[in-house]
Amino acid sequence: MTRLYNDPAAFADEALEGFTAAHRRWVRPVGGGVVRSTATPAGQVAVVIGGGSGHYPAFSGLVGRGLAHGAAVGNVFASPSARQIHSVATAAHGGGGVLLMYGNYAGDVLHFGQAAERLAADGIETRTFAVADDISSAGPDECAKRRGIAGDLPVFKAAAAAAEQGLPLEEVLRVAERAGARTRSFGIAFSGCTLPGADHPLFTVPEARMAVGLGIHGEPGIGEEALPTADEAALLLVETLLKELPEDVAAPAGQRAAVILNGLGSVKYEELFVVYRRVAALLGEAGVEIVDPEVGELVTSFDMAGISLTLTWLDDRLEELWRAPADTPAYRKGALDTPEPDRDGAPVTALAQGTGVSAATAVPAASDASREAAVTVLAALEAVARVVDAHADELGRIDAVAGDGDHGIGMRRGSGAAHRAAADAHRLGAGAGTVLTRAADAWADKAGGTSGALWGSILRALGTALGDRDAPDAARVAEGVTAASAAVRGLGGAEVGDKTMVDVLVPFADALAAGTAGGLALTEAWDRAATTATEAAAGTADLLPRRGRARPHAEKSLGTPDAGAHSLALITRAVHGALLDHH
C-alpha cells in the first residue's frame, strides 16, 4: 500500500514537485505538468503525452529528447484537465504543431479533445491520438473501445522519434496510427492497488488465484484463474497475444516485435526476469525475432502486484523508430548528440498547487438581483461539497465494483474546488452566472477525469442560462438544467440506458421542466425532480454499463448502482435543502 504521503488530496501535486526537483537536467515544471528543460527545436512537432498520476514512469518520466516534449499530469488515476493540457502544450510548442497522445479512457478523450480545440483557437495546429492496446477490454471488432495500458510507451516513442526526425504533423500522426494498430497488450494481477489515504485496495484477489485482463487504474480483471507458476504466466501472456495479430501479419513466424514485460508496481525485477526468460523462449519457438526488449516498471498502477506483456509488431520503419535513441528521466536508449542549448531566459514556472483556479482580480458587471441570487448559488455549491465529502468513501466503494474506485476522490476534489472558486467570485461581487462558470472551471480543472469534464459542463450550462443581469426564475433554472443535460450527452456521448449519470440527469431535467411549466415553485418542482433522480439512480443497479471503465466488467456491476448516477442523485437532494433555506 502507499504509506508515505501528507494530505492525500495533495499527493499528485507533491509527487510532481519532487519529481521535477530530482530531474532538472531533463524537465522543468509548468502549470499542469512538465516540459523538456531544453527548447523544442523551431518547427519540430511537439509530442505532448499525459494521463493521471499513479503510473510512474508514465507520464512525466517519459519527457526528454527522443521521447515526449511535455506531459500533462492529472490527479491520481484521473485525466489532466483541458486547462492543464493546454498549458503544457503551449509551453512545449515549437512552431511545428502539437500531437496530443494519451490512453483511451473517457476522461482523457474528453479533456484532450477540449484542449485540442483551445489550442486550435490559439492558432496552434493540433492533432490527437488515443492508444488502445489492451485486448482484454474489447474484442477485435471493437478496437476503438480498448483501453490504453503499457502499449503507450512504444506508440509514444514511435511518434516522438518521427517528430525528432523533423517530419510534419500529419506524418507524425500517421506514424502513431501505424504503431497503435500494431500494438497489443494483456495483463494479469495477484492483488489490487491501494490509493494514498485509503485503508483497503481497490480490488482483492482470492488466495491462490489471479485476476486476468486488468487495466491500470485499479479496475478488477475480467476473470480469475488459478495462481500460475512463472512459466505458466508467461505461456498465458504469450499465447493470448499470439491469438490476435494485426491484419497485415499473417503468422508470427518470421516477424519482428518490440517486447515489453511490464511490472505494475509490486512485482520485483527478479520475478519479471524469471517470467521473461520463458516469454523470450516461447516467442523464439513461434519464430518471432525480439527487438530491443524492455523488462521493468514502465506503466504502473501504484502498488498493484501484476504484470503485462506488450508486443508491437515491427516493420522496417517502426523498428528504426523503436531503436532510435532517447534520454528521459526514466527511459534511456542509445546515444544522442550534444543537447540543445538551455532555454534562454525561460522562466521556471512554479507548479500550480492543486491545479485549482485562482480567483480573478475582476468579475463582469452584475445586477443587484443577480448578486443576490449568487448567494443561493453559493449555498447550493456548499451543500454539494458537503454531501460529496460525506459520501466520498461510499462513492469510491460503488465505483470500485467494476471501475477504478476513484469517483469519490474526484468528486470531493472537484466539488471542493468549485465551492472555493465560487466563494472567491462572490466576494468580488460576481453575479449568479459568473459564480457558476468560475465554479465550473475549478471543478473541471481540479477533478480532471470524466466526472470533472461533465460537471464542469453542467455548471457552465447553468451559469450561461442564469447570467449576471436578472434574478433567475424557476423557468430559467429549469432551462439551464435542460441545457446541462444536453451538454453532458453531447460531450460524453452517453444516453439513457448506458448506466451513467445520464440515466439520472435526463429524467431529473425532464421532471424539473415539467414541474416549472405546470406552475410549481422552484423548491417544489426541484423536490419532485430530486425524488425522480433518486429513483432513477437506484434503477441503474439493474443496468449493464455500455460506456466508461466499467464496460469491460459489465456483469460485475449488476446489482450495484452507477457511481456517477448515485452522486448526482445525492447532489440534487442536497441542493433542494439549500433552496429551502434560501427561499
Side-chain angles (χ1 to χ4, degrees):
M1 62 185 296
T2 307
R3 297 175 177 86
L4 297 175
Y5 55 87
N6 298 306
D7 177 359
F11 182 87
D13 297 323
E14 293 180 348
L16 190 60
E17 184 180 355
F19 166 77
T20 55
H23 296 295
R24 296 192 185 280
R25 170 187 155 192
W26 291 276
V27 301
R28 68 182 181 95
V30 296
V34 296
V35 296
R36 294 183 188 179
S37 60
T38 53
T40 298
Q44 184 176 107
V45 173
V47 174
V48 174
I49 64 176
S53 297
H55 305 303
Y56 191 85
F59 296 89
S60 55
L62 304 179
V63 174
R65 292 195 304 146
L67 237 162
H69 296 75
V73 183
N75 283 303
V76 176
F77 289 177
S79 66
S81 69
R83 185 189 299 260
Q84 290 175 282
I85 300 160
H86 178 270
S87 170
V88 173
T90 300
H93 183 230
V98 174
L99 176 60
L100 302 176
M101 303 187 71
Y102 46 92
N104 189 33
Y105 297 91
D108 295 277
V109 172
L110 290 175
H111 286 289
F112 277 91
Q114 291 174 337
E117 293 174 358
R118 296 183 189 183
L119 291 165
D122 293 343
I124 298 175
E125 190 176 8
T126 307
R127 300 290 183 272
T128 65
F129 184 78
V131 180
D133 58 303
D134 176 21
I135 68 172
S136 69
S137 54
D141 56 336
E142 294 185 306
C143 288
K145 295 182 178 180
R146 288 178 168 175
R147 304 176 289 206
I149 53 175
D152 283 354
L153 174 61
V155 181
F156 292 169
K157 187 175 187 304
E164 293 279 2
Q165 293 176 351
L167 296 184
L169 181 57
E170 292 299 335
E171 291 189 33
V172 174
L173 175 60
R174 281 196 288 273
V175 166
E177 291 170 341
R178 176 71 169 166
R182 284 178 152 246
T183 298
R184 306 283 190 276
S185 299
F186 183 71
I188 58 177
F190 317 109
S191 69
C193 58
T194 305
L195 301 183
D199 58 5
H200 58 276
L202 292 177
F203 72 89
T204 57
V205 180
E207 190 73 22
R209 305 283 289 177
M210 71 172 173
V212 177
L214 61 137
I216 57 169
H217 294 96
E219 310 99 321
I222 59 173
E224 287 182 5
E225 295 185 11
L227 187 67
T229 63
D231 284 359
E232 289 168 345
L235 180 63
L236 173 64
L237 295 171
V238 171
E239 284 189 342
T240 302
L241 290 181
L242 291 186
K243 288 177 182 176
E244 187 188 315
L245 301 173
E247 291 183 0
D248 54 353
V249 176
Q255 299 294 328
R256 292 163 288 167
V259 179
I260 298 173
L261 184 63
N262 176 59
L264 283 159
S266 291
V267 176
K268 295 295 185 181
Y269 272 67
E270 286 87 348
E271 294 175 271
L272 292 173
F273 292 137
V274 171
V275 174
Y276 183 73
R277 54 176 268 289
R278 187 57 184 154
V279 167
L282 290 168
L283 290 173
E285 292 169 8
V288 178
E289 178 185 347
I290 297 173
V291 178
D292 281 5
E294 296 286 346
V295 180
E297 293 183 348
L298 295 158
V299 180
T300 62
S301 184
F302 268 113
D303 60 333
M304 184 185 291
I307 59 176
S308 64
L309 181 65
T310 298
L311 301 180
T312 297
W313 298 93
L314 304 173
D315 54 22
D316 291 343
R317 179 69 173 128
L318 289 177
E319 180 173 349
E320 174 194 1
L321 298 171
W322 175 241
R323 290 185 182 273
D327 184 25
T328 79
Y331 184 87
R332 298 165 204 171
K333 177 179 285 189
L336 288 162
D337 297 333
T338 303
E340 312 121 40
D342 289 339
R343 296 172 183 263
D344 294 330
V348 177
T349 307
L351 289 172
Q353 291 298 320
T355 65
V357 179
S358 299
T361 57
V363 295
S367 68
D368 290 341
S370 184
R371 284 196 292 269
E372 184 177 345
V375 175
T376 303
V377 170
L378 181 60
L381 288 169
E382 182 180 11
V384 169
R386 282 201 310 268
V387 74
V388 167
D389 186 65
H391 292 271
D393 292 343
E394 174 195 4
L395 295 174
R397 286 193 298 272
I398 293 173
D399 190 36
V401 171
D404 55 12
D406 70 342
H407 184 68
I409 295 172
M411 290 290 288
R412 176 183 276 157
R413 292 189 189 112
S415 60
H419 177 239
R420 291 189 294 273
D424 289 339
H426 178 254
R427 280 193 292 270
L428 293 170
T434 294
V435 166
L436 278 165
T437 55
R438 294 283 175 90
D441 288 342
W443 193 314
D445 207 45
K446 179 65 174 176
T450 306
S451 67
L454 297 181
W455 273 99
S457 179
I458 288 171
L459 297 185
R460 180 164 290 279
L462 280 169
T464 300
L466 267 57
D468 291 328
R469 299 190 59 178
D470 304 315
D473 57 16
R476 186 175 297 181
V477 173
E479 289 171 6
V481 173
T482 298
S485 174
V488 166
R489 283 179 287 163
L491 186 61
E495 293 294 344
V496 172
D498 286 344
K499 194 164 187 171
T500 70
M501 71 184 302
V502 168
D503 290 295
V504 170
L505 184 55
V506 169
F508 172 75
D510 290 347
L512 184 63
T516 56
L520 294 179
L522 178 60
T523 51
E524 186 176 355
W526 194 287
D527 182 27
R528 294 187 182 185
T531 298
T532 298
T534 300
E535 294 170 351
T540 63
D542 299 325
L543 298 176
L544 289 172
R546 297 196 293 240
R547 289 183 175 272
R549 291 180 188 169
R551 183 188 53 78
H553 316 287
E555 296 295 336
K556 290 186 177 182
S557 76
L558 272 180
T560 301
D562 176 71
H566 184 55
S567 62
L568 175 55
L570 291 171
I571 285 170
T572 62
R573 182 52 64 190
V575 170
H576 178 248
L579 293 175
L580 285 176
D581 291 342
H582 288 76
H583 179 54

